């Protein structure tokens, strides 16, 4: 493979009208709306509606959409039984991937169950899936997966803590969901598009995407970033530790980006949330540690934090266990994945690139009896 095409960097593989980072790779818009405006003014449900249905909802449409999502939160009995069978030590991303695949057998895509309905069902149910499995195995309880909470952020936090969530935590999680919702032809979205380009079903597309998001070079970076940040108690410890890591040619997760060259426009938005929450948290020093890591990474490598870096400390301050960070990315990105599946299907052509063959030239076949 030539250097220019390694990892498909810089290769345009299709068109999209859903989001763009712009030609200079500096901003981010969803269907033309700047991410800063969406993060400041919207509920995640407005953004999900924008991605899935193509327009920002008016008040009535939003109320109706929130009611629809709330009404879909109950899990099918067979899904709950299966969640009870998934081992306690399973990676939560594997729980979501398996549950998505299983839902494809219980409620398959059909003329009666349209793609938009499946998208809404998955959005509504993923927090309940994760937390039903979690509470069953860790606390021995079979929780109700319905709550009276109107937003996905408050619903998730309520299911996690089993009580009315802290309003500041709801704001932070809602903001992070908006920032995580969509990002053009990233690896997991591309995986979903490749899968449905074969005319496979909606659930297969999302299952591929979840499996792709799981890795630390993509969605898994927020968990890896927190694991690293939490090994330091002070900014000076962090400075020494990160310089040592860089000297050993190790990667600091949560830094760098394939598309952005100067900064990730989502990072400062979530960094503000992290700074705010740090003030009242007993481990608020993790935010100062993170800021020093940011400084060192810029001075040493000219690398900037991506969305995953300060999402890690922000989520930690909200009391969210580290191994749930990437699943939270799923709860939100389901909206972007769905929009891309619809778009791919609208004007489908099988995605099937070619490879630059670098293997053996054609050679004479040797029967088994003659091989040494
Ligand atoms: N820490 C240390 N060095 C880095 C980092 C990092 N986080 N990111 C890039 N570099 C270095 C590489 O080592 C490489 O150096 P070299 O040329 O001396 O070998 C150079 O910068 C280019 O890096 P690549 O990995 O080739 O860049 P690519 O565009 O392929 O990768 C990626 C982008 C995967 C995001 C990369 O920056 C990375 O691995 N970051 C850490 C993982 C991460 O945070 N992923 C989250 C992505 S954003 C998201 O999913 C929301």
């Amino acid at each position: 493979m030539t250097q220019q095409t390694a990892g498909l960097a810089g290769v345009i593989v299709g068109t999209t009208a859903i989001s763009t980072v712009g030609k200079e790779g500096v901003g981010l818009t969803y269907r033309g709306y700047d991410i800063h405006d969406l993060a400041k003014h919207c509920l995640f449900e407005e953004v999900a509606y924008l991605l899935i249905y193509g327009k920002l909802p008016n008040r009535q449409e939003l109320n109706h959409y929130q009611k629809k999502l709330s009404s879909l939160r109950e899990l099918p009995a067979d899904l709950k039984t299966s969640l009870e069978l998934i081992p306690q030590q399973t990676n939560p991303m594997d729980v979501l991937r398996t549950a998505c695949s299983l839902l494809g057998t219980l409620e398959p895509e059909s003329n009666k169950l349209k793609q938009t309905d499946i998208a809404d069902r998955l959005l509504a149910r993923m927090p309940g899936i994760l937390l039903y499995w979690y509470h069953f195995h860790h606390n021995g309880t079979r929780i109700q997966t319905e709550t009276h909470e109107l937003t996905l952020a408050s619903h998730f936090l309520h299911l996690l803590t089993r009580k009315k969530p802290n309003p500041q935590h709801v704001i932070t999680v809602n903001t992070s969901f908006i920032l995580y919702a969509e990002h053009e032809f990233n690896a997991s979205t591309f995986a979903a598009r490749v899968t449905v380009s074969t005319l496979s079903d909606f659930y297969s597309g999302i299952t591929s995407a979840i499996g792709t998001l799981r890795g630390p070079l993509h969605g898994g970076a927020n968990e890896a970033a927190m694991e690293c940040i939490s090994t330091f108690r002070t900014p000076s410890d962090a400075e020494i530790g990160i310089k040592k890591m860089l000297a050993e040619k190790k990667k600091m997760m949560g830094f760098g980006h394939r598309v952005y060259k100067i900064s990730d426009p989502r990072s400062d938005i979530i960094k503000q949330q992290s700074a705010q929450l740090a003030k009242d948290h007993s481990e608020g020093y993790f935010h100062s540690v993170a800021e020093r890591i940011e400084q060192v990474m810029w001075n040493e490598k000219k690398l900037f934090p991506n969305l995953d870096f300060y999402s890690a400390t922000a989520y930690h301050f909200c009391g969210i266990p580290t191994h749930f960070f990437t699943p939270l990315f799923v709860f939100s990105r389901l909206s972007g994945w769905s929009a891309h599946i619809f778009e791919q299907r609208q004007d489908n052509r099988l995605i099937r690139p070619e490879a630059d063959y670098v293997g053996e030239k054609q050679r004479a076949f040797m029967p088994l009896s003659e091989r040494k």
Side-chain angles (χ1 to χ4, degrees):
M1 185 174 276
T2 59
Q3 199 53 40
Q4 289 92 324
T5 57
L8 294 183
V11 178
I12 292 176
V13 293
T15 56
T16 183
I18 302 169
S19 74
T20 183
V21 298
K23 291 242 172 351
E24 282 78 38
V26 284
L28 176 61
T29 55
Y30 298 167
R31 297 202 189 276
Y33 296 106
D34 192 292
I35 190 72
H36 289 87
D37 291 329
L38 296 172
K40 190 165 174 196
H41 301 293
C42 287
L43 290 178
F44 166 70
E45 283 70 11
E46 294 170 74
V47 172
Y49 192 97
L50 170 70
L51 294 169
I52 293 175
Y53 295 96
K55 70 182 272 278
L56 279 173
N58 60 30
R59 168 67 56 200
Q60 200 187 1
E61 286 163 336
L62 177 62
N63 287 346
H64 180 262
Y65 191 48
Q66 285 188 291
K67 279 196 191 122
K68 179 182 181 191
L69 292 178
S70 303
S71 72
L72 293 170
R73 288 174 179 162
E74 190 179 358
L75 305 183
D78 286 344
L79 175 58
K80 290 197 264 192
T81 308
S82 305
L83 290 170
E84 292 178 14
L85 294 174
I86 297 178
Q88 178 177 2
Q89 297 313 325
T90 305
N91 181 315
M93 286 294 282
D94 298 343
V95 176
L96 299 190
R97 193 195 59 224
T98 304
C100 178
S101 187
L102 188 77
L103 273 171
T105 68
L106 300 175
E107 300 172 349
E109 188 171 13
S110 66
N111 292 339
K112 285 195 190 127
L113 194 57
K114 294 192 308 236
Q115 55 179 4
T116 41
D117 291 326
I118 301 175
D120 288 340
R121 280 178 190 222
L122 289 174
L123 264 183
R125 287 173 174 174
M126 277 295 171
I129 288 171
L130 178 69
L131 290 159
Y132 184 89
W133 167 79
Y134 174 75
H135 286 298
F136 179 80
H137 289 287
H138 292 82
N139 305 320
T141 23
R142 292 186 167 98
I143 62 159
Q144 288 281 349
T145 55
E146 296 111 305
T147 66
H148 293 299
E149 305 290 345
L150 280 177
T151 68
L152 193 79
S154 53
H155 174 62
F156 162 72
L157 287 165
H158 195 139
L159 289 182
L160 175 68
T161 57
R162 316 287 314 280
K163 55 182 195 228
K164 196 93 195 131
N166 173 322
Q168 187 55 45
H169 295 175
V170 175
I171 291 172
T172 297
V173 172
N174 179 70
T175 306
S176 78
F177 282 166
I178 291 172
L179 300 177
Y180 270 130
E182 161 57 13
H183 212 239
E184 201 220 47
F185 273 42
N186 59 85
S188 55
T189 300
F190 191 53
R193 290 189 77 129
V194 170
T195 302
V196 299
S197 84
T198 69
L199 304 184
S200 187
D201 72 309
F202 193 91
Y203 294 97
S204 297
I206 300 291
T207 305
S208 298
I210 297 174
T212 309
L213 187 73
R214 184 187 190 285
L217 293 188
H218 192 7
N222 52 14
E223 297 183 16
M226 193 64 226
E227 275 154 24
C228 179
I229 293 165
S230 61
T231 60
F232 304 117
R233 287 287 168 276
T234 66
S236 348
D237 283 353
E239 178 154 358
I240 296 165
I242 297 301
K243 283 184 174 166
K244 186 165 175 279
M245 271 176 61
L246 294 178
E248 291 165 357
K249 302 265 175 239
K250 287 190 184 145
K251 272 190 168 177
M252 175 64 212
M253 296 302 163
F255 279 83
H257 202 275
R258 173 60 68 77
V259 181
Y260 299 122
K261 298 300 168 218
I262 308 162
S263 68
D264 179 336
R266 304 164 296 180
S267 176
D268 276 351
I269 304 175
I270 201 69
K271 182 179 175 181
Q272 274 175 21
Q273 300 285 333
S274 169
Q276 185 67 27
L277 291 165
K279 288 181 195 157
D280 301 322
H281 197 280
S282 59
E283 291 172 320
Y285 57 86
F286 282 146
H287 184 79
S288 320
V289 163
E291 280 190 306
R292 181 65 68 86
I293 295 176
E294 178 181 0
Q295 223 176 56
V296 174
M297 290 299 288
W298 184 254
N299 291 343
E300 300 287 317
K301 299 276 290 183
K302 291 288 167 281
L303 284 168
F304 52 85
N306 57 50
L307 172 58
D308 278 333
F309 188 62
Y310 284 104
S311 295
T313 44
Y315 282 162
H316 183 80
F317 297 144
C318 289
I320 300 168
T322 304
H323 59 294
F324 287 178
F325 291 2
T326 317
L328 263 81
F329 196 156
V330 173
F331 301 164
S332 153
R333 186 57 64 84
L334 271 168
S335 55
W337 290 333
S338 301
H340 278 273
I341 291 176
F342 306 157
E343 192 180 60
Q344 180 65 36
R345 285 173 161 184
Q346 246 169 31
D347 184 23
N348 186 55
R349 186 152 189 227
L350 176 72
I351 299 175
R352 199 291 189 198
E354 288 178 34
D356 195 5
Y357 179 69
V358 294
E360 296 285 348
K361 293 209 174 68
Q362 197 159 356
R363 40 189 174 165
F365 176 77
M366 205 177 277
L368 183 58
S369 56
E370 291 172 28
R371 284 177 230 156
K372 294 205 179 115

